[in-house]
Amino acid sequence: AQRLLARIRDGAYADRLDPNGSALDNDDAADARASGQAVGYAAGVTRHRRWLDFLLAHLYHGNPATLEPDLRDVLRLGLFDLLVEETPPHAAVNEAVALARAAVNPGASKLVNAILRTADRRRGALPQPDTGKAARDLAVRHSHPTWLVRRRLDRFGTSDTEALHLDENAPPTIS
């Protein structure tokens, strides 16, 4: 999933990530299930990126934009796994720490561990967007463009707009 996020960062389209094709290195893709899960995680992080970046900005003491891009992706994956996928904390933190150690450097694993454990401890009181502008706050919380949220609020109202965003951020069903 981290490699897929790097490919998206380099210009690949998220909707064209093929779990059995060129988006992943075929020589070390474990199996179709693992490849599909990697695509699912990359797509989920992409769907929730604005929200994950908002959380990262509040959990990291410093400017997250200065972090190495691969480290930011590992942190996004860990936050997604912990808060959206609701993976048990010990598993989500352990996987993200191992990924940071392998994909970035051993020292990065300490930062990943600290940020994810803080997010887990604050799970019930995570920071919420509070700019005083309903459209912007909803846009950040649901990772949508502000202009689109503003338009939908005018047309549908707050509760219907929020319901629509929740549906749009849900993983797609496969049929």
Side-chain angles (χ1 to χ4, degrees), residues 49-65 67 72 75-76 79 115 122 127 140:
R49 183 172 166 180
R50 193 170 182 188
W51 170 242
L52 297 171
D53 285 351
F54 170 82
L55 291 174
L56 187 54
H58 284 82
L59 296 170
Y60 176 66
H61 300 294
N63 182 359
L67 292 171
R72 271 197 321 268
L75 287 164
R76 289 173 181 143
L79 288 169
I115 288 175
R122 296 183 185 170
V140 169

Side-chain angles (χ1 to χ4, degrees), residues 17-145:
L17 297 176
D18 180 5
N20 300 312
S22 61
L24 288 172
D25 297 335
N26 286 332
D27 57 340
D28 65 335
D31 60 2
R33 183 172 178 257
S35 297
Q37 188 176 23
V39 170
Y41 270 73
V45 167
T46 301
R47 275 194 310 275
H48 294 276
R49 183 172 166 180
R50 193 170 182 188
W51 170 242
L52 297 171
D53 285 351
F54 170 82
L55 291 174
L56 187 54
H58 284 82
L59 296 170
Y60 176 66
H61 300 294
N63 182 359
T66 63
L67 292 171
E68 185 176 334
D70 287 338
L71 178 55
R72 271 197 321 268
D73 286 342
V74 169
L75 287 164
R76 289 173 181 143
L77 281 164
L79 288 169
F80 175 78
D81 199 19
L82 184 68
L83 302 173
V84 178
E85 289 292 309
E86 297 180 345
T87 301
H90 66 279
V93 172
N94 184 56
E95 288 297 316
V97 165
L99 178 59
R101 188 174 291 121
V104 184
N105 64 56
S109 62
K110 294 175 185 175
L111 176 65
V112 170
N113 184 51
I115 288 175
L116 294 181
R117 290 198 183 280
T118 300
D120 183 44
R121 275 193 313 274
R122 296 183 185 170
R123 188 184 299 253
L126 287 170
Q128 297 296 319
D130 188 18
T131 63
K133 298 178 181 178
R136 179 158 168 70
D137 294 346
L138 272 177
V140 169
R141 180 58 188 98
H142 296 288
S143 297
H144 280 66

